[in-house]
Amino acid sequence: MRIPYAPSTPENPDPTTSDIYKRIAERRAPRPLIPLDLALLHSPPVADGWNNFLGAIRTKTAVDPATLELAVCRVGILNGAYHEWAVHSLIALKAGVSVEGLETVRTRDALGAGEVSQGVEGGLSAKEWAVVAYTDQMTRNVKVDDATFARLREHFPSERDVVEITATVAAYNCVSRFLVALDVGENNGKEMKSVEELSKAAHVKK
């Protein structure tokens, strides 16, 4: 990484910093703190706010996990965030996104304005394509055209769903940009492996 990692336990901690470490460790449990945490913990207040926000995205949203993980995976691919793709593609697979669909997410160029599939194509349903197109425009253009937003609303009429999908795409754009800018985990430049390759590697580690 471009800066050293913070220690995994606070040095000369005050009660506030100790509580922040504890809250982050509780969200990660039973896993240890990850490199992202140890980068953020150079600024404990920022790490604490990050943990609260991402914790809400990860555990308190109502949208189905497959939809959110699909969006996260697409952000990781578009922004070249290896860790984001490698971790969340396997979560997406477990949540119900097909292997073919994830390969489409990995290999398909960013969609242009109004470019949304009307049916099943590349292992993705019309609903999933609507999410991919929305994610592409938020990530690449920031602005989302009316046709793409209308297509998303066809599949997600609830305002809460729209807010949660939008917040997830925005949050993981933040995550990926932080990861890549500082090369957290020393992953910059790595090839985005296929889901099958990642699955095999995960099985070997077990």
Side-chain angles (χ1 to χ4, degrees):
M1 189 172 71
R2 286 179 159 176
I3 59 175
Y5 292 104
S8 57
T9 56
E11 296 178 340
N12 303 315
D14 59 85
T16 299
T17 300
S18 294
D19 286 346
I20 290 170
Y21 267 79
K22 181 180 178 181
R23 283 192 288 272
I24 296 172
E26 286 174 347
R27 187 167 78 86
R28 294 296 183 196
R31 297 179 300 157
L33 299 181
I34 63 174
L36 176 58
D37 301 322
L38 299 178
L40 288 162
L41 279 164
H42 281 294
S43 175
V46 170
D48 197 30
W50 189 293
N51 185 57
N52 288 335
F53 179 39
L54 270 295
I57 295 289
R58 301 295 312 155
T59 66
K60 297 180 180 179
T61 44
V63 176
D64 64 281
T67 292
L68 297 185
E69 293 300 335
L70 180 69
V72 173
C73 288
R74 187 61 169 173
V75 171
I77 288 296
L78 293 176
N79 289 341
Y82 178 89
H83 175 81
E84 201 162 278
W85 163 253
V87 171
H88 288 275
S89 61
L90 297 182
I91 300 173
L93 188 62
K94 290 180 181 178
V97 182
S98 69
V99 171
E100 183 184 1
L102 286 166
E103 282 303 291
T104 298
V105 166
R106 184 175 73 95
T107 59
R108 178 71 179 263
D109 291 337
L111 299 176
E115 188 182 354
V116 183
S117 176
Q118 302 293 325
V120 177
E121 178 187 338
L124 297 173
S125 66
K127 175 183 175 181
E128 289 171 324
W129 275 115
V131 172
V132 170
Y134 189 67
T135 301
D136 284 7
Q137 290 206 15
M138 279 190 65
T139 302
R140 285 295 175 85
N141 306 330
V142 183
K143 293 182 179 180
V144 177
D145 66 66
D146 290 342
T148 299
F149 185 72
R151 184 62 50 78
L152 186 78
R153 289 307 303 267
E154 287 179 16
H155 299 283
F156 299 95
S158 161
E159 282 78 14
R160 176 169 179 167
D161 287 354
V162 172
V163 166
E164 290 182 353
I165 292 168
T166 304
T168 297
V169 174
Y172 279 91
N173 264 286
C174 176
V175 173
S176 61
R177 283 165 166 76
F178 189 91
L179 290 170
V180 174
L182 295 181
D183 195 12
V184 178
E186 299 77 52
N187 288 314
N188 285 0
K190 287 185 178 180
E191 179 186 356
M192 297 293 187
K193 294 182 179 179
S194 70
V195 177
E196 290 184 349
E197 289 176 302
L198 293 169
S199 296
K200 289 178 182 177
H203 182 72
V204 169
K205 286 182 181 179
K206 291 179 180 179

